Structure formats: C-alpha cells, structure tokens
C-alpha cells in the first residue's frame, strides 16, 4: 500500500500552491480519479480536495450574454439548470447522455473535462504496453481489439479516444476554459484544450503543471432553437459512444445561416467538422448537401482493424443529427 497525503483547499490560490508539489492531483467528484487509483493506473502521492472552494459551484450570467459554469458545478446541476436547458439545449442533451444519474450527481464539470480515455488497455496494468500510462512502453491497442478506438487524428503512439459527451457539445458551442495556475489566470479556447496524441499521448490536455480549471464560459446562445446531440452506443445507457454528434444550426427557412458540428468517439479530442460546416453554410439542408458534407467530414478517417464501421456510422450520424436539429423527419444511423 502506498501512502497518500490529503489536503483540503479553501480557495483557488491555496489549491494552486499545494499543487506545486510533484505527484499532486486535484480531486473534485472523484468519479474517474478514484477508479484510476484503485486500478493502479493513477498514483498520486498527494490529493488536494477542491470541493470546498467557494465560488466555483455556481452558474452565472456573463456581461456579453454568455454563461459561466463553475468547475465544481455537478453535471446533473449543469444539465438541469433552467437557463442551460432553454438556451443551451445541446449541452443539456450531451450531459444527460453521459454516464448514469448517480455519476452525474457526483461528477463535476471540471472533472468531466479531465476524464481519461476508456481504452481497455490503459485501464489494465496487466498490459504493460501503454504509452499513455507509461510513456515509451508501446501501445497494446494497435495490435489488439480496436472496435472503440480512433478513426481520426490518431498517431503511431496512441489510438485512444476521448470519452466525454459534455466536451463534444462544448466544442460545438465554442466554449472557453478558464484556468488558474502558478503564472496567474488564462483562458483556453475549447478546441485547444484537449490534445491529439502525437508523440505525447500521456498528455490529454494543454493544461500546464499545477493549473486548476475554474470555469467553462459559454458565448451568448446562438443555437437555442436547433440543436441535437446524437449518441450511438452499444446499449441505451451507461455506455461510452461509438460515435456521437453535436449538431447546432441557425436557420433561415431551410437555409443554413450558421452550423456547428462536433464528433465524439472518433478521436483523442472532440473533433470539429470544420470542412463540413463550411460546405453547409449558406446551403439548404437537402439530402445531397447533408451527405456531401458528412462524407467530407470523414474524408481523412483512418480506421483501425476492427472499427471501419465507424466511418459510415459517423457519416450517417451527422446527417441524422443535423436533420433532427432542424426538426426534419428522417435520417438513418
Ligand atoms: Fe494506451 Fe493509447 Fe494504446 Fe490505449 S491506445 S493502449 S491508451 S497508448
């Protein structure tokens, strides 16, 4: 058994100070970290409990019309907040698609951003090859069972996917992550927060050592009327996405004024389908336009041995999610 010290932080500054010690981990809801510790995957020497820091557990309007969601807001509270439900329905849908009600009641928004891949080889230290767990050790997944793994943006070092549903919606909504660290406060555009694996798959995010997430800021709502989060998975609840799509539209009749598409379950980070968005802007939501955009979104896909099905599944899911966001009938997945 390894000794772990525990400290309760009273404010952001003391939490950041405490995290200067090597081997320190922040603990909020603990829904992922404790699993990792029990499995011997994470081995912090010190836990800094951030759950008693005041001011990080509220949801507040921003002067520009946006919304600030504190890092300690529970997933269930964020999902069911009246303003989030009404103005950011994409976020509510994505949050409610994740995990179980019990886990959503414990898990925090900041922790959701930090949750680690569910690659089976990462979670089982009996597989010694895992560059994410042990840099330089190899990747057991590449020659293993790859049904759940990445089809976009993978590297020769790691083919894992990000498991968060919430993050897919936040990527589509152009959220901003606020952090506080030894060098002060800064903001990170959501698209820059999670990393592709490259040659450092041990790093999931661009957070610097000792930085603490303090909030997620949403821009003013643009997609209250037309948004849909589609999650395709092996069973109806408590399963991670094979493919998910966050789709949001501003429409003028059947013409697209503005569109956002982000994919989950396909890459090491939430994957914005920028080319598909550009193709659809100013166009009608015809079947032909939707299918061309969906095909373009997956043009760079490089499936693994067991997951070629994800390419077509993602294309069909994009079409279906956009149709559902627009209130159109149909779409297949
Ligand atoms: Fe580890 Fe990534 Fe390979 Fe999974 S895919 S075994 S997380 S290196």
């Amino acid at each position: 058994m390894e000794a772990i010290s525990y400290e309760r932080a009273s404010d952001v500054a003391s939490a950041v100070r405490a995290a200067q010690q090597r081997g320190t981990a922040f603990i909020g809801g603990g829904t992922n970290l404790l699993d990792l510790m029990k499995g011997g995957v994470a081995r912090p020497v010190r836990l800094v409990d951030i759950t008693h820091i005041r001011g990080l557990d509220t949801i507040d309007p921003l002067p520009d019309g946006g919304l600030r969601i504190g890092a300690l807001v529970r997933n269930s509270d964020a999902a069911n907040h009246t303003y989030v439900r009404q103005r950011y329905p994409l976020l509510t849908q994505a949050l409610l698609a994740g995990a179980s009600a019990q886990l959503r009641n414990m898990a925090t928004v900041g922790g959701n951003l930090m949750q680690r891949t569910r690659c089976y080889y990462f979670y089982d230290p009996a597989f010694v090859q895992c560059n994410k767990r042990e840099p330089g050790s190899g990747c057991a997944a590449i020659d293993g069972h790859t049904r759940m793994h990445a089809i976009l943006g993978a590297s020769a070092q790691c083919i894992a996917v990000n498991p968060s549903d919430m993050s897919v919606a936040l990527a589509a909504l152009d959220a901003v992550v606020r952090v506080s660290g030894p060098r002060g406060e800064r903001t990170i555009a959501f698209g820059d927060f999670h990393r592709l694996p490259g040659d450092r798959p041990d790093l999931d995010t661009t957070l610097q050592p000792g930085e603490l997430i303090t909030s997620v800021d949403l821009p003013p709502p643009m997609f209250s009327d037309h948004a849909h989060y589609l999650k395709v998975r092996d069973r109806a609840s408590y399963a991670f996405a094979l493919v998910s799509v966050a789709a949001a539209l501003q429409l003028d009749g059947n013409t697209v004024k503005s569109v956002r598409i982000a994919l989950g379950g396909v890459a090491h980070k939430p994957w914005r389908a920028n080319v598909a968005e550009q193709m659809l802007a100013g166009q009608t939501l015809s079947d032909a336009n939707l299918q061309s955009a969906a095909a373009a979104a997956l043009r760079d896909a490089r499936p693994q041995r067991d997951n070629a099905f994800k390419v077509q599944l993602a294309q069909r899911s994009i079409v279906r999610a956009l149709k559902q966001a627009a209130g159109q009938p149909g779409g297949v997945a």
Side-chain angles (χ1 to χ4, degrees):
M1 186 181 293
E2 294 170 15
I4 301 169
S5 67
Y6 170 89
E7 179 175 328
R8 184 179 283 181
S10 57
D11 53 36
V12 170
S14 63
V16 168
R17 258 196 317 278
Q20 299 308 298
Q21 184 183 325
R22 236 175 125 78
T24 299
F26 296 123
I27 183 161
T31 52
N32 189 208
L33 179 61
L34 293 179
D35 277 350
L36 293 166
M37 290 171 64
K38 282 186 268 189
V41 178
R43 297 173 176 272
V45 296
R46 186 187 199 198
L47 291 178
V48 175
D49 182 349
I50 57 172
T51 56
H52 294 263
I53 297 177
R54 266 193 247 169
L56 300 188
D57 60 350
T58 59
I59 298 178
D60 302 298
L62 290 168
D64 67 355
L67 199 66
R68 174 161 295 166
I69 304 176
L72 291 177
V73 172
R74 305 288 171 174
N75 284 193
S76 48
D77 291 334
N80 292 313
H81 189 275
T82 304
Y83 194 76
V84 175
R85 273 187 173 278
Q86 291 174 349
R87 309 309 301 272
Y88 302 96
L90 188 64
L91 180 55
T92 290
Q93 292 172 31
L95 279 162
L96 294 179
S100 63
Q102 293 91 338
L103 283 167
R104 292 194 294 270
N105 286 341
M106 277 302 291
T108 63
V109 166
N112 194 324
L113 293 182
M114 296 300 292
Q115 65 175 304
R116 307 210 69 188
T117 182
R118 263 55 178 193
C119 172
Y120 354 93
Y121 303 101
F122 173 70
Y123 274 78
D124 187 349
F127 290 96
V128 291
Q129 291 186 315
C130 177
N131 289 321
K132 186 177 283 298
R133 181 168 17 87
E134 194 62 48
S137 63
C139 172
I142 285 176
D143 292 321
H145 186 51
T146 54
R147 185 167 181 272
M148 297 294 291
H149 288 79
I151 57 172
L152 288 161
S155 75
Q157 303 282 313
C158 179
I159 58 172
V161 299
N162 184 293
S164 170
D165 292 295
M166 180 192 77
S167 292
V168 184
L170 292 177
L173 292 170
D174 280 334
V176 170
V177 183
R178 283 175 68 239
V179 304
S180 201
R183 296 185 179 173
E185 293 188 0
R186 69 181 178 116
T187 57
I188 307 170
F190 203 84
D192 298 329
F193 182 78
H194 295 101
R195 296 178 70 257
L196 290 177
D199 58 2
R200 289 297 307 273
D202 53 313
L203 300 176
D204 294 340
T205 73
T206 54
L207 280 179
Q208 297 300 306
E211 284 187 322
L212 175 69
I213 300 168
T214 54
S215 74
V216 173
D217 290 358
L218 299 175
M222 293 172 56
F223 305 106
S224 312
D225 296 332
H226 298 291
H228 188 73
Y229 186 73
L230 175 64
K231 181 175 181 177
V232 183
R233 47 187 158 175
D234 281 327
R235 57 174 188 258
S237 77
Y238 199 38
F240 294 96
L242 288 165
V243 165
S244 68
V245 180
L249 290 159
Q250 279 187 321
L251 293 173
D252 183 2
N254 192 34
T255 302
V256 175
K257 283 172 65 183
S258 179
V259 57
R260 305 281 173 74
I261 306 164
L263 305 179
V266 296
H268 199 258
K269 62 185 288 185
W271 191 269
R272 264 297 277 275
N274 295 311
V275 173
E277 292 177 7
Q278 288 161 15
M279 287 174 68
L280 287 171
Q283 304 298 313
T284 58
L285 283 179
S286 66
D287 282 351
N289 287 340
L290 286 167
Q291 281 163 15
S292 297
L298 275 298
R299 193 167 290 146
D300 294 331
R302 300 286 179 272
Q304 313 300 327
R305 189 180 54 196
D306 304 317
N307 67 5
F309 72 94
K310 278 192 179 188
V311 178
Q312 194 177 57
L313 182 62
Q315 290 172 346
R316 290 181 174 211
S317 298
I318 290 170
V319 173
R320 178 170 163 184
L322 286 164
K323 283 191 168 193
Q324 294 200 349
Q328 291 184 4
V332 288

